[in-house]
Amino acid sequence: TGGPSSRVRIAGIRGLARLPAELAVERIRPALEDADRTVRMAAVESLGKMASPGGVAALILFLPKTNDDPELRKAVVDAMGESGAAEAVTLLVGLLREATAPEARPLRWSIANSLAKIRSVEGLDALRRLVDDPFLDVRVKAIQGLGASGGQEEAAFLSGVLTEAKRDAKERSAAALALGQIADPASISGLLAALPGDPAVAVDAWKGVLLIVGADRARAVEVGARLLEAHDWTRAVEVLGPAAQDPAFEKDSPDRAANARDLLGIALLGAGRRAEALPFLKEGAEKADAPPEVRLRYVQALSELDRHAEALALVEAMISQEAAGTAFHWSLRLRRVLLLHAAPAQLTVEIKPE
C-alpha cells in the first residue's frame, strides 16, 4: 500500500467524486497519471462510478497505458461496466480480440461482466459470441449477462444452450436461471423438459420456471397441469399451492381457481399427502360438474385413509349417474368390487387434467 501522502490523495479523489461530474472529472483525471498505483486504481474506480461521458472518455484514453499492468487494466474494464456507457462497448469488444492468451482469462471475464452491465445491442452480440469462449467461467458469465440484459431473442438463444448436451452442467444451469430472469413464457417448455435430466441442471431449471411463473396464477395452473401429466407431484404442489389458496385469484378467476384447487388435491394425493389432499378433492368432487378424475381421486383418498364406506357410497352414486355399458361404467363397477374387498392400492387412475 502507499504511504501517508498517497492515502491523503486517495481520500481526496473519493471526496471529489461526490461533486457534480462536470466539476469532478477534470480534477480526478490527473490522478490517472499518479506515480502511486493505488492512487491510479482509486481514480479509475471513482471515474467509473460517476458514470459521466467525461469520465468514460478519460478511462478510454487511459486504457492503452495499462498494457503492462493486468490488474489495473482489469480495473479499467470494470469501471467502464460500472459507468454503463455505450461508447465503451466498441473498445471492450476490440479488447476481446486482443486478449486471447491463457493469462487473459480474468480480463475476458471482466469484459463479459461489463458488457452485461452496459446493455447495448453490440454488447449483446458480443455476449452471444462469448458463450463459446474457451474459458468456462467466461462462458457462464456471458450466459448470465444475456439473462440480465436480454429479451425474447436472447431467450431463444439461451433455450438452445440449455438443450445442448455437450455443454457443461454449469453452463446449462446458468442458462436455466437466465431464462428465468428474462421471463419469456415461451421458455417454460424447455425448462420443464430439463427437469428429468441432470439433477444439478434440474434444480436451476425449476428455479427458472418459478421465476417466469411469478405471481401469474393462471400460468401456475397451466404449469401445474403439465407437471401432473408427468407425475411430478412435489413440484406440482409447489406451483399450484399459491394459486389454489389466493383469494384475489378466486375473486378474479373463480373457474381457474377452482381448477387449481382440483389439481392441487390430485398433486397432494400423488405426493402421499392424503389428509392434506382430502379437503381439495372433496370440494371438487361435490361440484355438479366435477371432472371424473377428481371424483375418482377423492374415492382413492378416502379408501387410502380407510374410509371405505364413504368411498363406496361415492362410487355407487357415480355408477347410478353413468350410462350403463360404457367403458367408464364398467370401470366404476370394478372399483366397487375392489372397495368391497378393501383393495385401495388398485384404485389408482391415470390423471389427464383439463
Side-chain angles (χ1 to χ4, degrees):
T1 60
S5 59
S6 66
R7 288 198 293 273
V8 170
R9 295 200 298 280
I10 290 170
I13 290 168
R14 290 174 178 161
L16 288 169
R18 299 190 184 98
L19 297 174
E22 60 271 18
L23 298 176
V25 169
E26 290 307 313
R27 289 167 170 78
I28 294 175
R29 188 197 300 265
L32 293 173
E33 308 295 337
D34 195 279
D36 191 298
R37 184 172 177 275
T38 61
V39 175
R40 298 197 298 275
M41 291 284 273
V44 166
E45 180 182 344
S46 295
L47 289 170
K49 287 181 177 178
M50 281 190 295
S52 72
V56 174
L59 291 171
I60 290 173
L61 290 173
F62 180 60
L63 183 65
K65 300 178 181 180
T66 64
N67 289 344
D68 297 330
D69 189 336
E71 189 177 349
L72 185 58
R73 195 172 182 80
K74 183 177 179 298
V76 173
V77 168
D78 291 338
M80 288 179 175
E82 288 296 323
S83 75
E87 55 266 37
V89 171
T90 299
L91 181 65
L92 292 172
V93 172
L95 192 56
L96 276 174
R97 288 192 285 268
E98 299 172 15
T100 56
E103 57 270 21
R105 182 189 59 76
L107 180 61
R108 294 181 72 82
W109 186 96
S110 286
I111 293 171
N113 190 45
S114 291
L115 289 172
K117 291 180 178 180
I118 294 173
R119 304 188 179 189
S120 71
V121 173
E122 185 183 2
L124 287 173
D125 288 341
L127 286 172
R128 280 195 288 270
R129 291 192 296 274
L130 281 172
V131 171
D132 292 317
D133 196 80
F135 304 109
L136 174 60
D137 61 338
V138 176
R139 298 197 297 272
V140 169
K141 175 51 65 176
I143 290 167
Q144 292 169 340
L146 290 171
S149 311
Q152 289 185 332
E153 187 176 341
E154 284 67 43
F157 176 83
L158 291 169
S159 292
V161 173
L162 177 63
T163 58
E164 282 187 63
K166 69 176 183 179
R167 294 277 181 185
D168 187 275
K170 290 182 180 178
E171 295 172 75
R172 298 179 64 216
S173 288
L177 291 174
L179 288 168
Q181 282 185 281
I182 295 173
D184 181 359
S187 304
I188 288 177
S189 292
L191 290 166
L192 291 176
L195 295 180
D198 186 321
V201 178
V203 168
D204 289 323
W206 181 235
K207 290 178 182 176
V209 171
L210 293 177
L211 284 170
I212 296 174
V213 170
D216 187 339
R217 303 310 191 203
R219 196 171 303 285
V221 176
E222 295 171 8
V223 170
R226 293 175 66 175
L227 290 165
L228 288 183
E229 290 177 352
H231 293 186
D232 193 339
W233 313 116
T234 301
R235 290 192 181 101
V237 169
E238 184 176 353
V239 77
L240 287 166
Q245 301 173 82
D246 185 343
F249 187 45
E250 168 68 27
K251 180 180 178 181
D252 296 338
S253 304
D255 290 341
R256 285 183 173 179
N259 188 33
R261 290 193 292 275
D262 289 346
L263 296 177
L264 178 59
I266 293 168
L268 286 165
L269 181 61
R273 296 160 65 176
R274 300 175 186 86
E276 294 174 72
L278 205 62
F280 295 105
L281 294 173
K282 182 177 188 293
E283 177 192 344
E286 291 178 347
K287 291 183 295 187
D289 58 347
E293 297 94 332
V294 176
R295 288 183 176 174
L296 289 173
R297 284 301 191 190
Y298 184 40
V299 168
Q300 182 184 341
L302 288 169
S303 185
E304 290 180 1
L305 289 168
D306 294 327
R307 294 166 61 173
H308 301 300
E310 294 170 76
L312 183 59
L314 181 55
V315 168
E316 295 282 14
M318 294 174 72
I319 289 173
S320 68
Q321 296 165 10
E322 179 65 26
T326 66
F328 187 52
H329 177 266
W330 288 111
S331 172
L332 289 170
R333 291 181 70 86
L334 173 60
R335 282 172 173 76
R336 180 180 180 276
V337 171
L338 292 169
L339 281 166
L340 287 169
H341 289 83
Q346 299 176 54
L347 290 170
T348 301
V349 291
E350 287 298 316
I351 298 301
K352 298 178 181 178
E354 294 180 342

